[in-house]
Amino acid sequence: MTGAMMPCGVLPFMMDAAGRPSAMRGRFARLDDVASAILSRHDYPLAVAELSAEAMALAACLSTTMSFDGIFTLQASGSGPVKTLMADVTSEGAIRGFTHVDGDSDILDSPLGGPAPIMHLMGGGYLAFTVDQGEKGRYQGIVPIEDADLTGVSMRYFRDSEQIDTALLVAAEPDQNSGWRASALMLQRIPEEGGEGAVLPASKEEAEEWHTACTLMATCTRDELLDPALSQQDLLYRLFNQLNLSVLPLREIRDECRCSPEKVERMLEDLPREEKLELAEKDNTIVISCEFCKKAHHYVVE
Ligand SMILES: [Zn+2]
């Protein structure tokens, strides 16, 4: 293999429970090349890059669970050395991410090999999931960062806010070629609706099958989750083969920013000319660098 790009994306899957079709649904995101490309444009300390890769994998996972046309955003704010953590994904599969680091700490270069210590890196704070459908509305869920890692924080969100039975594994690690591996595996039990939006509790059999699925998922090791030699499909069958698993086509996720010269122009056009000249460097040109993709956009003050 000569550096062939693996397609990155989210593999949706379904399982029946106690005879109820598709009672459990899952998502398995693997973003190795996409996370590597995005992180290569930044110069984050190791633990920060790991947290950022985890956030991208989780955002990719969650973006495909919602039936919407718009943008899914994962954003965390804290008062530790990492002030902002952000990853967003469009319904078309374009992902971007950035992390704002301000301050120093031994934690930033802390040894890897386990989940990124979000609690220490961000010093508490909040994690928000936002679905923005433009004119069709905006939904946001927020959870305090009170757990050691991103998996724990997200699990708290699903437990307290969504009240959907959820199992989640998120992991990232550097590879030998200065790139990254990033995966997120999520499993949810979709409650049965009893009419008028009411949600029925799980039957005893269904609760048992959900428990079995969670137990099987818990056998998945960090190495398996991140192993590039083990395909997403193969890992799902290895884990859930004894259940009624069906795997759907891969939803591709690509490294694509939404910045453009037009957006920069729109942002600057209403500023008074004197203010624009103050921002300008030589030749009356303002250079705006995108915080996501680091691309420099040039705007000439007329
Ligand atoms: Zn950009």
Side-chain angles (χ1 to χ4, degrees):
M1 296 261 293
T2 51
M5 290 274 283
M6 293 280 284
C8 284
V10 181
L11 203 59
F13 59 97
M14 308 277 198
M15 288 180 282
D16 302 347
R20 188 161 72 88
S22 310
M24 297 184 277
R25 77 169 173 196
R27 295 287 187 271
F28 183 13
R30 214 180 240 172
L31 297 189
D32 298 5
D33 287 343
V34 164
S36 300
I38 291 172
L39 291 171
S40 72
R41 297 185 202 111
H42 300 265
D43 189 22
Y44 297 136
L46 268 184
V48 177
E50 183 185 11
L51 180 62
S52 187
E54 288 176 355
M56 286 188 265
L58 177 61
C61 228
L62 295 177
S63 74
T64 62
T65 62
M66 292 161 209
S67 45
F68 71 97
D69 263 342
I71 300 162
F72 176 87
T73 304
L74 177 162
Q75 182 165 12
S77 309
S79 53
V82 176
K83 305 289 183 225
T84 307
L85 170 70
M86 200 168 164
D88 67 29
V89 192
T90 70
S91 38
E92 305 292 305
I95 193 170
R96 58 183 196 168
F98 95 99
T99 303
H100 177 53
V101 187
D102 183 15
D104 215 354
S105 162
D106 292 346
I107 306 156
L108 296 178
D109 290 304
S110 61
L112 299 167
I118 190 171
M119 178 87 150
H120 283 127
L121 290 167
M122 304 207 67
Y126 287 87
L127 173 69
F129 299 120
T130 310
V131 177
D132 191 345
Q133 299 174 271
E135 286 169 9
K136 282 188 191 153
R138 190 167 176 274
Y139 167 82
Q140 187 171 63
I142 295 181
V143 66
I145 299 174
E146 293 175 347
D147 299 85
D149 54 42
L150 190 57
T151 303
V153 176
S154 309
M155 288 292 284
R156 179 186 296 272
Y157 169 76
F158 287 114
R159 205 167 49 235
D160 296 354
S161 302
E162 296 275 305
Q163 291 166 353
I164 287 184
D165 292 333
T166 303
L168 183 68
L169 295 169
V170 184
E173 68 177 13
D175 68 14
Q176 294 93 339
N177 310 309
S178 324
W180 281 83
R181 292 183 185 133
S183 293
L185 175 61
M186 183 175 73
L187 184 65
Q188 293 187 314
R189 192 186 71 80
I190 307 302
E192 194 169 7
E193 289 196 8
E196 294 179 10
V199 164
L200 298 179
S203 66
K204 187 166 172 283
E205 294 76 19
E206 189 170 313
E208 274 169 15
E209 288 211 22
W210 166 248
H211 181 73
T212 304
C214 291
T215 307
L216 293 169
M217 183 160 150
T219 66
C220 179
T221 65
R222 187 178 161 83
D223 285 347
E224 283 178 313
L225 203 60
L226 294 169
D227 182 359
L230 183 59
S231 78
Q232 281 164 277
Q233 188 138 345
D234 286 351
L235 178 56
L236 290 179
Y237 278 105
R238 184 186 283 188
L239 290 172
F240 302 120
N241 200 27
Q242 74 182 75
L243 299 173
N244 202 333
L245 173 69
S246 45
V247 176
L248 305 173
L250 186 81
R251 300 264 299 264
E252 213 162 312
I253 299 285
R254 59 187 192 284
D255 161 29
E256 187 183 303
C257 193
R258 302 196 303 282
C259 64
S260 70
E262 292 74 29
K263 279 189 187 161
V264 169
E265 220 170 290
R266 249 178 282 142
M267 189 174 75
L268 292 171
E269 66 188 357
D270 293 334
L271 272 188
R273 187 165 186 273
E274 301 80 69
E275 282 184 40
K276 282 196 265 201
L277 285 173
E278 271 175 41
L279 293 171
E281 294 167 28
K282 63 179 167 76
D283 303 329
N284 288 0
T285 302
I286 300 173
V287 181
I288 304 269
S289 167
C290 173
E291 56 191 351
F292 287 94
C293 71
K294 295 286 178 185
K295 189 170 181 176
H297 296 283
H298 298 257
Y299 176 93
V300 179
V301 184
E302 300 291 342

